Amino acid sequence: MAFGGDETKVNFSQQGDNGDQKSMRGGLYAAADLGEFYLNGAVSYATFDNDANRSVIFAGQGATAQSSYDGQAWLASLGGGWDQKLAAWLLGPMARLDYLSLSEESFSERNAGLMSLNVGDRNVDYWSSALGLRAASRYNLDGWALLPRAELAWRHLFKDDRREVSASFPGYRGNSFTVHGLEQAQDSLELQVGLNAAIGGQANVFLQYGLGFGQDQSAQELALGFNLLF
């Protein structure tokens, strides 16, 4: 069982466009050690509290449209692999199936007058698989257990609802329009490297970096966190 929370700050290239997301999540995790083979699975639920600012310039006048809305997500994962010992490392193939269901409520922007938008709700589902190699090791240093790890995988999207948002201006709800977001690459290559530092068997600090490449797309992620087991 796991519980957690985080806050994400987002800044866009256009000055004045930014956002803030606070989330809380909880889930169940299970693993089976079958000798050289292993299986693991997880199911989790998350809620999101979003705030966004959008700069608007019309007829020489500027304003900032503000919005607040909630969202929720269900996530599930099932995977396994085969580990072989190579010196101080465990190395082997892995496979995983991931599912994500995301929903966001509708909202109305404020403080921008007629340029404020009424934005419709959004529901999307993603099914994807990951197939690749992973490596992990363990070192003991002055009471700390250091666990470096790395994973290289090919990710394939089986189902990816198109990212689109429908909106309208106040007083013109019958004339809505739809903005289509960037279509995610169906196939991509993902690299993750990380380090866990555990002490006492109940607490650990982790640092993780992720890099993904797809057709005309790339993404990076850096995460630093703390886990307490009980």
mmCIF file of all heavy atoms in Angstrom, residues 2 10 45-46 54 59 63-64 66 76 111 156 158 166 168 181 185 188 190 195 207 210 214:
data_model
loop_
_atom_site.group_PDB
_atom_site.id
_atom_site.type_symbol
_atom_site.label_atom_id
_atom_site.label_comp_id
_atom_site.label_asym_id
_atom_site.label_seq_id
_atom_site.Cartn_x
_atom_site.Cartn_y
_atom_site.Cartn_z
ATOM 1 N N ALA A 2 0.505 2.249 -0.771
ATOM 2 C CA ALA A 2 1.312 3.468 -0.863
ATOM 3 C C ALA A 2 0.403 4.689 -0.936
ATOM 4 O O ALA A 2 -0.683 4.645 -1.533
ATOM 5 C CB ALA A 2 2.217 3.415 -2.083
ATOM 6 N N VAL A 10 4.300 24.662 -13.788
ATOM 7 C CA VAL A 10 4.455 24.639 -15.240
ATOM 8 C C VAL A 10 4.565 26.064 -15.759
ATOM 9 O O VAL A 10 3.757 26.934 -15.398
ATOM 10 C CB VAL A 10 3.263 23.932 -15.919
ATOM 11 C CG1 VAL A 10 3.448 23.921 -17.427
ATOM 12 C CG2 VAL A 10 3.095 22.521 -15.391
ATOM 13 N N TYR A 45 -4.989 5.325 -7.600
ATOM 14 C CA TYR A 45 -5.972 6.370 -7.901
ATOM 15 C C TYR A 45 -5.379 7.710 -7.483
ATOM 16 O O TYR A 45 -4.725 7.810 -6.431
ATOM 17 C CB TYR A 45 -7.274 6.110 -7.138
ATOM 18 C CG TYR A 45 -8.289 7.224 -7.247
ATOM 19 C CD1 TYR A 45 -9.047 7.385 -8.401
ATOM 20 C CD2 TYR A 45 -8.483 8.111 -6.192
ATOM 21 C CE1 TYR A 45 -9.977 8.406 -8.510
ATOM 22 C CE2 TYR A 45 -9.412 9.133 -6.285
ATOM 23 C CZ TYR A 45 -10.161 9.279 -7.443
ATOM 24 O OH TYR A 45 -11.074 10.298 -7.548
ATOM 25 N N ALA A 46 -5.573 8.737 -8.293
ATOM 26 C CA ALA A 46 -5.018 10.059 -8.000
ATOM 27 C C ALA A 46 -6.055 11.143 -8.264
ATOM 28 O O ALA A 46 -6.890 11.025 -9.171
ATOM 29 C CB ALA A 46 -3.779 10.314 -8.852
ATOM 30 N N ARG A 54 -3.602 32.286 -18.203
ATOM 31 C CA ARG A 54 -3.390 32.417 -19.647
ATOM 32 C C ARG A 54 -3.436 33.888 -20.022
ATOM 33 O O ARG A 54 -4.425 34.573 -19.764
ATOM 34 C CB ARG A 54 -4.480 31.634 -20.397
ATOM 35 C CG ARG A 54 -4.352 31.671 -21.912
ATOM 36 C CD ARG A 54 -5.419 30.795 -22.575
ATOM 37 N NE ARG A 54 -6.769 31.298 -22.314
ATOM 38 C CZ ARG A 54 -7.412 32.177 -23.094
ATOM 39 N NH1 ARG A 54 -6.810 32.661 -24.178
ATOM 40 N NH2 ARG A 54 -8.638 32.561 -22.797
ATOM 41 N N ALA A 59 -7.147 43.759 -29.166
ATOM 42 C CA ALA A 59 -7.349 45.193 -29.462
ATOM 43 C C ALA A 59 -6.411 46.061 -28.626
ATOM 44 O O ALA A 59 -6.801 47.129 -28.138
ATOM 45 C CB ALA A 59 -8.803 45.577 -29.226
ATOM 46 N N ALA A 63 -4.875 41.091 -20.622
ATOM 47 C CA ALA A 63 -5.524 40.574 -19.407
ATOM 48 C C ALA A 63 -4.984 39.166 -19.146
ATOM 49 O O ALA A 63 -4.337 38.562 -20.007
ATOM 50 C CB ALA A 63 -7.043 40.535 -19.573
ATOM 51 N N THR A 64 -5.248 38.664 -17.952
ATOM 52 C CA THR A 64 -4.846 37.308 -17.596
ATOM 53 C C THR A 64 -6.086 36.497 -17.240
ATOM 54 O O THR A 64 -6.790 36.814 -16.276
ATOM 55 C CB THR A 64 -3.872 37.304 -16.404
ATOM 56 O OG1 THR A 64 -2.681 38.015 -16.757
ATOM 57 C CG2 THR A 64 -3.500 35.877 -16.030
ATOM 58 N N GLN A 66 -7.814 33.421 -15.698
ATOM 59 C CA GLN A 66 -7.476 32.469 -14.635
ATOM 60 C C GLN A 66 -8.518 31.360 -14.578
ATOM 61 O O GLN A 66 -9.700 31.585 -14.831
ATOM 62 C CB GLN A 66 -7.401 33.183 -13.290
ATOM 63 C CG GLN A 66 -6.348 34.282 -13.242
ATOM 64 C CD GLN A 66 -6.352 35.019 -11.914
ATOM 65 O OE1 GLN A 66 -7.397 35.237 -11.314
ATOM 66 N NE2 GLN A 66 -5.174 35.411 -11.456
ATOM 67 N N ALA A 76 -3.085 1.438 -13.733
ATOM 68 C CA ALA A 76 -2.859 0.019 -13.444
ATOM 69 C C ALA A 76 -1.646 -0.453 -14.238
ATOM 70 O O ALA A 76 -1.393 0.012 -15.360
ATOM 71 C CB ALA A 76 -4.088 -0.807 -13.802
ATOM 72 N N ASN A 111 -11.794 36.757 -15.129
ATOM 73 C CA ASN A 111 -10.939 37.958 -15.126
ATOM 74 C C ASN A 111 -10.454 38.391 -16.504
ATOM 75 O O ASN A 111 -9.559 39.228 -16.595
ATOM 76 C CB ASN A 111 -9.720 37.791 -14.204
ATOM 77 C CG ASN A 111 -10.112 37.559 -12.760
ATOM 78 O OD1 ASN A 111 -11.189 37.966 -12.328
ATOM 79 N ND2 ASN A 111 -9.247 36.899 -12.012
ATOM 80 N N HIS A 156 5.065 0.931 -26.753
ATOM 81 C CA HIS A 156 4.109 0.929 -27.855
ATOM 82 C C HIS A 156 2.729 1.295 -27.318
ATOM 83 O O HIS A 156 2.271 0.723 -26.324
ATOM 84 C CB HIS A 156 4.056 -0.446 -28.531
ATOM 85 C CG HIS A 156 3.035 -0.535 -29.626
ATOM 86 N ND1 HIS A 156 3.206 0.063 -30.854
ATOM 87 C CD2 HIS A 156 1.823 -1.152 -29.660
ATOM 88 C CE1 HIS A 156 2.147 -0.180 -31.602
ATOM 89 N NE2 HIS A 156 1.296 -0.912 -30.907
ATOM 90 N N PHE A 158 -1.142 1.102 -27.683
ATOM 91 C CA PHE A 158 -2.226 0.362 -28.325
ATOM 92 C C PHE A 158 -3.464 1.230 -28.481
ATOM 93 O O PHE A 158 -4.163 1.174 -29.489
ATOM 94 C CB PHE A 158 -2.584 -0.878 -27.497
ATOM 95 C CG PHE A 158 -1.501 -1.893 -27.425
ATOM 96 C CD1 PHE A 158 -0.701 -1.994 -26.298
ATOM 97 C CD2 PHE A 158 -1.260 -2.749 -28.490
ATOM 98 C CE1 PHE A 158 0.309 -2.939 -26.225
ATOM 99 C CE2 PHE A 158 -0.247 -3.699 -28.437
ATOM 100 C CZ PHE A 158 0.539 -3.788 -27.290
ATOM 101 N N SER A 166 -12.407 21.119 -26.136
ATOM 102 C CA SER A 166 -13.488 21.898 -26.735
ATOM 103 C C SER A 166 -13.812 23.081 -25.842
ATOM 104 O O SER A 166 -13.877 22.937 -24.612
ATOM 105 C CB SER A 166 -14.738 21.028 -26.929
ATOM 106 O OG SER A 166 -14.479 19.977 -27.835
ATOM 107 N N SER A 168 -15.643 27.433 -25.734
ATOM 108 C CA SER A 168 -16.475 28.470 -26.346
ATOM 109 C C SER A 168 -16.298 29.761 -25.560
ATOM 110 O O SER A 168 -15.856 29.748 -24.407
ATOM 111 C CB SER A 168 -17.955 28.050 -26.356
ATOM 112 O OG SER A 168 -18.433 27.898 -25.025
ATOM 113 N N GLY A 181 -4.460 18.718 -29.619
ATOM 114 C CA GLY A 181 -3.098 18.724 -29.113
ATOM 115 C C GLY A 181 -2.185 17.836 -29.937
ATOM 116 O O GLY A 181 -2.597 17.193 -30.908
ATOM 117 N N ALA A 185 3.480 9.900 -30.112
ATOM 118 C CA ALA A 185 4.090 8.881 -30.974
ATOM 119 C C ALA A 185 3.622 7.495 -30.559
ATOM 120 O O ALA A 185 3.576 7.173 -29.373
ATOM 121 C CB ALA A 185 5.610 8.980 -30.890
ATOM 122 N N SER A 188 8.019 4.566 -29.071
ATOM 123 C CA SER A 188 9.060 5.429 -28.531
ATOM 124 C C SER A 188 10.081 4.594 -27.775
ATOM 125 O O SER A 188 9.821 3.441 -27.398
ATOM 126 C CB SER A 188 8.462 6.501 -27.610
ATOM 127 O OG SER A 188 7.789 5.898 -26.509
ATOM 128 N N GLU A 190 12.480 4.613 -24.371
ATOM 129 C CA GLU A 190 12.542 5.252 -23.065
ATOM 130 C C GLU A 190 13.742 4.753 -22.277
ATOM 131 O O GLU A 190 14.020 3.553 -22.236
ATOM 132 C CB GLU A 190 11.262 4.965 -22.264
ATOM 133 C CG GLU A 190 10.004 5.530 -22.900
ATOM 134 C CD GLU A 190 8.757 5.246 -22.088
ATOM 135 O OE1 GLU A 190 8.838 4.425 -21.148
ATOM 136 O OE2 GLU A 190 7.713 5.836 -22.376
ATOM 137 N N LEU A 195 18.586 6.220 -8.511
ATOM 138 C CA LEU A 195 19.344 5.781 -7.345
ATOM 139 C C LEU A 195 18.465 5.923 -6.111
ATOM 140 O O LEU A 195 17.902 6.993 -5.867
ATOM 141 C CB LEU A 195 20.606 6.631 -7.167
ATOM 142 C CG LEU A 195 21.442 6.328 -5.917
ATOM 143 C CD1 LEU A 195 22.041 4.923 -6.009
ATOM 144 C CD2 LEU A 195 22.542 7.371 -5.748
ATOM 145 N N LEU A 207 16.362 9.480 -6.389
ATOM 146 C CA LEU A 207 16.602 10.432 -7.469
ATOM 147 C C LEU A 207 16.454 9.675 -8.774
ATOM 148 O O LEU A 207 17.049 8.604 -8.948
ATOM 149 C CB LEU A 207 17.997 11.038 -7.355
ATOM 150 C CG LEU A 207 18.414 12.005 -8.479
ATOM 151 C CD1 LEU A 207 17.544 13.253 -8.463
ATOM 152 C CD2 LEU A 207 19.884 12.372 -8.335
ATOM 153 N N GLY A 210 14.495 10.487 -16.401
ATOM 154 C CA GLY A 210 13.908 9.764 -17.517
ATOM 155 C C GLY A 210 14.049 10.536 -18.812
ATOM 156 O O GLY A 210 13.978 11.774 -18.824
ATOM 157 N N GLY A 214 10.464 9.781 -29.405
ATOM 158 C CA GLY A 214 9.499 9.253 -30.354
ATOM 159 C C GLY A 214 9.624 10.014 -31.657
ATOM 160 O O GLY A 214 10.519 10.862 -31.805
#
